[in-house]
Amino acid sequence: MTPREKFLLALFGGAVFLMFTLGLVLWSLRAHTRAEAKVAEYENLLLDYDVVLQDKALWSELKDWLASHPPAVKTEQSAKTDLVQLVEQTALRHPGIRFTRMQPGEVEPGAALDSITVSLVCEGEEKSVIPFLYELTKAESYRALGFVRLRALPQDKSKVLCEARLTQWFQKGGAES
C-alpha cells in the first residue's frame, strides 16, 4: 500500500469514526431529552398527588358522608326508570316544556357508586326551562347536570332549545329496597 493510499484509508476511517461518534452523540442527546420529559411528567404527577393528599381530610369527610347517607336508588333498573319518570313528572310541573328526545344511557361503573345518565332535548320558554333544570339537580338525591346547552329557537326567539345530560348515582350491586 502506498503512502497516499494509507493516508486516504486513515482519512476514510477517521470520517467513519467521526460519523459514528456524531450519530452516537445525537442518539444520546435524544435519549436524554426523552428522559428529561419523562422526569418532568413524573414531577407534575407528584404535584397532582400532593394536591389530592392535601385534601385528604376533605376526601375522608366525603367518604364518611357517603357511608352515612346512601342513595335511595339501589339498582340499575330502578335508577333508569325512576330517573325517566322524575324528568317527565318534573316537566309536568313546568308548563310549556315539550320533549323532542329523552334517552337513558348505559350504566357507568364508579369507584363507590355507579351512575346512569339521561340525555334529553326539550324546548320551551326560558322562564320554564331554567326552573325545570334547577329542580332536577339535587345533590342530596345524588343527581347532577353534567352538560347543559340553551339556544334560542330560530323560528321563535321567545323559546329556547335545551340539551342536557342528567346523571343519577346509585349503590353498587345493591338489592331493591
Side-chain angles (χ1 to χ4, degrees):
M1 208 181 267
T2 66
R4 181 178 166 90
E5 289 174 336
K6 287 181 183 179
F7 175 75
L8 288 174
L9 184 62
L11 192 61
F12 177 74
V16 167
F17 176 75
L18 283 175
M19 290 176 71
F20 176 74
T21 305
L22 181 64
L24 189 62
V25 166
L26 289 175
W27 176 82
S28 53
L29 285 174
R30 279 192 297 261
H32 180 71
T33 303
R34 284 192 303 270
E36 280 181 330
K38 262 306 199 203
V39 166
E41 180 183 333
Y42 288 137
E43 285 174 347
N44 287 336
L45 190 60
L46 281 174
L47 288 174
D48 291 345
Y49 288 157
D50 284 343
V51 168
V52 170
L53 285 175
Q54 286 174 359
D55 293 335
K56 184 179 180 189
L58 177 67
W59 293 113
S60 297
E61 187 179 319
L62 178 62
K63 183 179 177 185
D64 294 342
W65 187 88
L66 284 172
S68 63
H69 299 84
V73 179
K74 306 269 189 208
T75 65
E76 174 184 339
Q77 188 56 39
S78 67
K80 192 178 284 192
T81 56
D82 290 353
L83 191 56
V84 169
Q85 288 174 356
L86 172 86
V87 170
E88 290 170 346
Q89 290 169 358
T90 306
L92 290 175
R93 289 192 295 275
H94 297 275
I97 292 182
R98 185 177 67 80
F99 286 102
T100 55
R101 189 181 83 227
M102 182 167 45
Q103 178 178 355
E106 296 301 314
V107 171
E108 294 285 330
L113 300 171
D114 290 341
S115 65
I116 188 133
T117 301
V118 170
S119 298
L120 55 106
V121 179
C122 64
E123 57 185 56
E125 292 183 7
E126 188 174 357
K127 64 182 179 184
S128 294
V129 172
I130 300 296
F132 163 71
L133 293 173
Y134 181 74
E135 191 174 332
L136 286 176
T137 60
K138 302 283 185 195
E140 61 274 5
S141 300
Y142 291 84
R143 287 192 305 270
L145 286 169
F147 167 81
V148 175
R149 181 182 2 208
L150 296 173
R151 291 183 288 170
L153 289 175
Q155 64 272 22
D156 185 359
K157 298 291 183 189
S158 68
K159 293 188 176 185
V160 293
L161 178 70
C162 171
E163 299 172 61
R165 278 194 296 272
L166 178 68
T167 302
Q168 169 79 58
W169 285 271
F170 60 95
Q171 293 177 349
K172 283 178 131 351
E176 191 71 55
S177 59

